[in-house]
Amino acid sequence: MSVDPQAARTGKRAAQIASCIEAEIVRRGWPVGASLGSEAALQQRYGASRSVLREAVRLVEHHQVARMRRGPNGGLIVCAPDAGPATRAVVIYLEYRGTTLDDLLDARLVLEPLAAALAAEQIDEAGIERLRAVLGAQEQRPGLPAARDEFHVALAQQSKNPVLQLFIEVSMRLTRRYAMSSRTGSATEALEALDRLHHDHSGIAAAVTAGDSARAKALSERHAQAVTAWLREHQRGDGSTRARLRPVRRLDVEEAPRGKLAEVLAATIADDIAASGWRVDAVFGTEAGLLARYRVSRAVLREAVRLLEYHTIAHMRRGPGGGLVVTQPQAQASIDTIALYLQYRKPRREDLRCVGDAIELANVAKVVQLRDEPAVAGVLDTLAPPQDFAVGQVAGEVRKAAAEEFRFHVGLAQLAGNALLDLFLRIIAELFRRHWSSTGPKPATPADVVAVEHAHLRILQAIRAGDDSLARYRIRRHLDAAASWWL
């Protein structure tokens, strides 16, 4: 039994209108508090029925970019979003991808030392006060892991890089899930581990406060390695760090604040789908069964299902044998959600480059390590430009330069095999694409195309030779040279 065609058409049209509304908000500079128009005006503007428009508005409200205000002087009002929907979308996708402990820890080793070094350069009086307040909270709440997580988020905030901050928030959400499913030998052992965390955090904060970026970076690296060792030692099961992330149940539906019930229900169902093994094409439950299981109204359930459908987690199939059918999540839904939030935060080009370069360098180093594996070696060959590529072909290839650059760098990320860093690099590329399309910077020239092909060949040569330092040098030089039209 297939999806209800009418429901599919309605959902697709609503998603298109939601994207148009969000694009308008970005184009207008995200004017928080401004009205985009009444429901009737929006219906007329987009040529949509009331039901389709309201579906679109629910998606916009889910992203927290605008909300519909009823009554006199009402309308669709632009909001200041928070990172919640963005980070949830990414965590859901990464759970499906089977993010491993190794993926998470390697990503933290890339991001956190960078955040510490930048924070030491950017810290101000307010930032110092914020870090010390978080450390004080750790002392007052010694048994709560959330207080420890807050330190990394607060430190990332002091980097003044919104991209880095959001990526670290995602990594901390995932770390918390691993920590909650880890085992400890005793309460004493757990408290000792928390004391060591506090000691490490205090040292990092002191280095950041002193403006010593080198020491802050070194201490952060050492701390991330210590956390890595602890989580590996206390991993449940067979101790393998390639084990998939186990979902942890969120807040019970009954405890959700009013107006947020459908979102919490959607998150809970997504967790339960993941916990059941994410069996694609399997029926997770009928509508009647889900109503009984989660004890919510039909309206709340259907709104939650629409959110699940938007994130390509599941769809409702009507008729005999129907129900909520598990689907295969697509990366683009997560990328679009997080890119939209970051557009509100208005990262600078330098912010994108800073994080993107760190990820690229880590990816190249990893691919050098894996270069002799048959699967990696075979794909490396596909990333090389054609052997018969000639300058005479360049004129027709200029438009393809950015696409080729994307294919090469994302290809390396996929070969590196880290689900987090792969997704993060795609998000950065999407942000750059949106920025590029809105500002129209200088496009690639024929000379750029030749340089790209040459650089790719030389990077691949260094990788195949196992020359880690040369490969990283060449990709750094390549990224610098392509900065005017790539990342």
Side-chain angles (χ1 to χ4, degrees):
M1 184 70 65
S2 61
V3 183
D4 181 352
Q6 180 60 40
R9 284 194 295 271
T10 298
K12 184 176 182 180
R13 176 64 177 145
Q16 291 171 343
I17 293 173
S19 295
C20 290
I21 292 172
E22 291 165 354
E24 180 181 350
I25 291 171
V26 173
R27 188 167 55 250
R28 292 175 56 177
W30 216 297
V32 174
S35 173
L36 299 177
S38 65
E39 183 177 74
L42 292 170
Q43 276 184 254
Q44 185 175 14
R45 184 184 309 170
Y46 295 108
S49 66
R50 176 177 292 180
S51 62
V52 170
L53 179 68
R54 288 184 174 179
E55 180 84 10
V57 168
R58 276 191 286 267
L59 288 175
V60 171
E61 290 177 333
H62 171 60
H63 288 158
Q64 297 184 0
V65 301
R67 59 180 174 81
M68 185 62 78
R69 186 168 65 193
R70 308 296 176 184
N73 301 318
L76 191 60
I77 309 300
V78 179
C79 300
D82 64 40
T87 55
R88 281 195 296 271
V90 172
V91 168
I92 287 169
Y93 172 73
L94 290 172
E95 284 177 350
Y96 169 75
R97 278 285 305 270
T99 302
T100 66
L101 182 56
D102 275 344
D103 291 340
L104 173 59
L105 298 175
D106 287 347
R108 288 188 60 175
L109 278 168
V110 172
L111 301 174
E112 290 178 17
L114 176 61
L118 290 175
E121 297 171 0
Q122 301 289 337
I123 196 76
D124 54 21
E125 289 281 350
I128 293 170
E129 184 177 344
R130 170 69 176 139
L131 286 181
R132 291 182 174 179
V134 171
L135 290 173
Q138 289 182 359
E139 293 177 343
Q140 295 171 13
R141 296 177 290 169
L144 295 180
R148 271 71 189 169
D149 299 341
E150 184 62 23
F151 174 79
H152 294 281
V153 174
L155 185 64
Q157 289 171 345
Q158 306 318 311
S159 74
K160 306 299 191 291
N161 185 320
V163 180
L164 186 57
Q165 179 184 335
L166 190 60
F167 288 175
I168 286 177
E169 286 185 22
V170 170
S171 71
M172 293 315 302
R173 276 178 177 254
L174 291 169
T175 300
R176 192 179 309 129
R177 291 184 167 219
Y178 265 117
M180 291 177 70
S181 64
S182 298
R183 53 178 172 77
T184 54
S186 65
T188 300
E189 182 183 1
L191 289 174
E192 288 176 351
L194 291 174
D195 285 341
R196 287 194 296 272
L197 284 179
H198 180 67
H199 179 268
D200 288 353
H201 291 171
S202 298
I204 295 168
V208 168
T209 300
D212 190 339
S213 60
R215 179 168 173 76
K217 182 177 182 180
L219 290 176
S220 182
E221 287 175 346
R222 191 182 307 165
H223 170 62
Q225 290 165 351
V227 171
T228 296
W230 189 92
L231 286 173
R232 283 174 173 159
E233 180 183 352
H234 295 84
Q235 183 67 20
R236 291 188 187 275
D238 62 3
S240 171
T241 54
R242 298 306 301 174
R244 291 170 63 105
L245 176 64
R246 290 185 179 89
V248 177
R249 286 298 299 266
R250 292 185 175 90
L251 184 69
D252 287 341
V253 175
E254 291 82 355
E255 298 176 30
R258 294 188 65 83
K260 301 285 186 179
L261 199 54
E263 289 191 12
V264 175
L265 177 59
T268 302
I269 293 174
D271 272 350
D272 290 344
I273 287 173
S276 65
W278 215 298
R279 295 175 294 162
V280 174
D281 294 331
V283 176
F284 181 71
T286 64
E287 184 175 75
L290 295 171
L291 288 171
R293 177 175 180 175
Y294 295 106
R295 299 180 182 180
V296 295
S297 68
R298 180 173 277 104
V300 168
L301 176 63
R302 289 183 174 178
E303 185 171 347
V305 168
R306 283 190 286 267
L307 294 177
L308 293 170
E309 289 174 337
Y310 174 77
H311 288 292
T312 64
I313 295 168
H315 67 81
M316 187 61 78
R317 188 169 64 193
R318 308 296 176 185
L324 189 64
V325 179
V326 179
T327 54
Q328 179 176 321
Q330 302 298 313
Q332 197 59 44
S334 299
I335 292 170
D336 289 342
T337 300
I338 207 164
L340 177 65
Y341 170 76
L342 285 172
Q343 282 184 289
Y344 165 73
R345 295 292 306 276
K346 296 182 175 64
R348 301 169 303 160
R349 188 186 187 90
E350 293 79 6
D351 295 331
L352 299 177
R353 277 292 313 276
C354 175
V355 183
D357 286 4
I359 293 174
E360 296 265 21
L361 290 168
N363 286 340
V364 166
K366 188 67 174 180
V367 175
V368 169
Q369 294 176 14
L370 302 174
R371 69 190 183 281
D372 292 330
E373 294 188 6
V376 173
V379 177
L380 278 175
D381 291 336
T382 69
L383 297 180
Q387 292 290 331
D388 58 352
F389 183 84
V391 176
Q393 297 174 286
V394 169
E397 297 294 323
V398 170
R399 290 182 299 173
K400 299 179 182 178
E404 175 62 22
E405 188 74 344
F406 176 84
R407 186 183 74 87
F408 179 80
H409 291 279
V410 171
L412 288 178
Q414 291 174 333
L415 287 179
N418 188 304
L420 275 85
L421 296 182
D422 179 15
L423 184 63
F424 289 167
L425 187 63
R426 288 170 180 264
I427 290 167
I428 290 172
E430 174 64 18
L431 280 166
F432 176 79
R433 185 195 66 78
R434 295 184 183 198
H435 174 77
W436 192 92
S437 62
S438 64
T439 60
K442 180 182 176 182
T445 66
D448 290 328
V449 177
V450 174
V452 164
E453 302 290 353
H454 183 63
H456 290 178
L457 278 173
R458 287 172 60 78
I459 292 166
L460 291 173
Q461 288 170 356
I463 289 173
R464 291 193 183 98
D467 195 332
D468 173 74
S469 59
L470 184 60
R472 285 192 282 178
Y473 166 80
R474 286 178 175 175
I475 198 162
R476 184 184 289 111
R477 288 290 301 272
H478 170 52
L479 291 170
D480 288 342
S484 64
W485 57 275
W486 175 236
L487 291 182

